[in-house]
Amino acid sequence: MSGRYDVLVFDWDGTLIDSAAHIAVSLQAAFRDLGLEVPSDEAARHVIGLGLEDTVRYLNPSLDKDRYQELVERYRVHFLAGDEGVELFPAVAKGIPLLQQAGYLMAVATGKSRRGLDRSLLATGLHTYFHASRCADEGFPKPHPDMLHEIMRALGAAPERTLMIGDTTHDLQMAQNAGVAAVAVTYGAHAPAKLVSMNPLACVESFEGLMQWLQQNG
């Protein structure tokens, strides 16, 4: 690795783990359970990575806030029912240890709850490779720069030495707001055209492609 960046900050869902479709289906089922208009596939995938209020505001702006927690509970039921079938993307399990060996500090910035991320980190065996993480229930959610600011503070990293890697425009907007460079992966929740419109350093089609990009540019 060339040493251009000290810290790699990964989004989780849709970037390291192939969960975008399961999240979207679980969201749709939660709305259906409450007798609400069911979001389209595109809408359900668009909100992946956002905080709770932004998610509900986008999918159902008129929903009373008193029902937010009820919606969250129904989503959790559906998500946990199929959580064990969600797997890491190809090459992630081998690639993350290689990035650690290359000397990178690694972190996670995610729209998941702390409980959800910790469960997923343990289940995938990746918990030992990340030096910091921030979740949507620990501060301002994406695309606010708070997550990246807190991670950089925890790791003593400068913005110009930090790289954000994610699959949504929310990840890329957060990076822009924090003054951090970003690379988009096109195999997750958001369509490549939306990602390109955010002008990331690169758009890669696989985790292997990301590893190759980092070897040449990281």
Side-chain angles (χ1 to χ4, degrees), residues 11-12 14 17 28 33 36 57 61 76 99 106 108 114-115 130 132 138 141 143-145 162 166 179 186 210 214-215:
D11 169 60
W12 186 255
I17 195 164
Q28 291 170 321
D33 286 352
L36 302 171
R57 191 180 300 117
R76 184 174 292 124
L99 293 174
M106 290 184 290
V108 173
R114 168 53 60 187
R115 181 170 62 175
F130 293 99
E138 296 175 326
H144 194 283
T162 302
T186 63
L210 174 65
L214 288 170
Q215 288 176 349

Side-chain angles (χ1 to χ4, degrees), residues 33-53:
D33 286 352
L34 299 188
L36 302 171
E37 182 177 353
V38 177
S40 67
D41 291 345
E42 182 179 1
R45 292 176 75 93
H46 174 79
V47 298
I48 293 174
L50 292 178
L52 169 62
E53 290 198 11

Side-chain angles (χ1 to χ4, degrees), residues 99-181:
L99 293 174
Q100 184 188 64
Q101 293 172 20
Y104 289 114
L105 294 176
M106 290 184 290
V108 173
T110 178
K112 297 181 83 66
S113 67
R114 168 53 60 187
R115 181 170 62 175
L117 177 63
D118 286 349
R119 183 181 64 249
S120 197
L121 282 169
L122 285 170
T124 59
L126 294 183
H127 58 287
T128 61
Y129 297 105
F130 293 99
H131 303 84
S133 60
R134 294 290 291 181
C135 299
D137 57 355
E138 296 175 326
F140 294 103
K142 301 172 185 179
H144 194 283
D146 178 67
M147 288 188 191
L148 285 175
H149 286 164
E150 290 299 317
I151 287 171
M152 289 188 289
R153 186 177 298 115
L155 299 180
E160 64 271 16
R161 301 287 298 176
T162 302
L163 181 68
M164 179 68 206
I165 300 163
D167 70 307
T168 70
T169 56
H170 316 311
D171 299 316
L172 304 183
Q173 185 64 62
M174 177 178 65
Q176 290 182 10
N177 292 342
V180 168

Side-chain angles (χ1 to χ4, degrees), residues 14-36:
T15 299
L16 295 180
I17 195 164
D18 191 5
S19 54
H22 181 51
I23 291 172
V25 168
S26 299
L27 272 172
Q28 291 170 321
F31 275 80
R32 188 178 297 110
D33 286 352
L34 299 188
L36 302 171

